[in-house]
Amino acid sequence: MEEKDCIFCKIVRGEIPSKKVYEDEQVYAFHDINPVAPVHVLIIPKKHIKGIHWAEEQDEALVGHLFTVARTIAEELGVAPNEDAEGGYRLVFNVGKGAGQTVFHLHLHLIGGRAFTWPPG
Ligand code: 5GP
Ligand code: ZN
């Protein structure tokens, strides 16, 4: 369930400080230490899963819950879609080293508060 040396498991256990945004039985969300936008929150399952590629069928409800939590946080932090150019947010999983994943504990990036371009870098 937990991994002793995993940095995000340590954050869930409170061994590494973090700025909490949301918490329930299954999920923890906190501000990214190195934000790439005015809003940059990481939404993680408390259960250790290496990344979205490694989630199993039994994790489907948990993975779905991450998106519901993301919507709630987006509303709370004022980045929900609206008529303004700055409205809206991006949800990102980096999957594997080649795609930019550096922490191997599943995390959904919620980034917003500025305009984004496509394609991403
Ligand atoms: P990845 O590159 O794996 O998709 O994203 C990992 C994210 O975790 C990065 O955006 C990085 O800034 C963030 N991060 C890494 N270590 C810590 C930490 O100790 N605390 C917080 N709040 N964020 C972290
Ligand atoms: Zn972990």
Side-chain angles (χ1 to χ4, degrees):
M1 203 78 170
E2 294 174 355
E3 291 237 330
K4 195 168 158 286
D5 297 324
C6 169
I7 186 168
F8 285 180
C9 283
K10 286 183 180 174
I11 283 177
V12 169
R13 292 197 297 265
E15 293 167 17
I16 293 175
S18 63
K19 290 186 185 166
K20 178 162 94 173
V21 176
Y22 174 93
E23 181 173 16
D24 63 28
E25 264 187 20
Q26 294 179 301
V27 167
Y28 188 74
F30 54 104
H31 291 285
D32 196 292
I33 204 166
N34 188 20
V36 299
V39 171
H40 188 169
V41 173
L42 301 174
I43 304 160
I44 71 173
K46 290 184 173 177
K47 173 186 178 184
H48 181 86
I49 301 170
K50 269 173 39 180
I52 195 65
H53 186 77
W54 296 271
E56 296 175 7
E57 207 172 331
Q58 67 200 31
D59 302 317
E60 271 184 4
L62 175 59
V63 169
H65 186 50
L66 298 176
F67 292 98
T68 305
V69 169
R71 184 181 61 206
T72 301
I73 293 171
E75 298 278 0
E76 276 175 9
L77 298 186
V79 296
N82 58 33
E83 299 304 312
D84 301 333
E86 286 78 23
Y89 55 93
R90 194 166 280 183
L91 297 175
V92 176
F93 290 113
N94 293 323
V95 187
K97 280 195 182 121
Q101 186 174 1
T102 58
V103 177
F104 283 78
H105 179 129
L106 199 163
H107 51 282
L108 178 59
H109 293 262
L110 189 170
I111 53 180
R114 65 169 169 84
F116 295 104
T117 57
W118 191 263

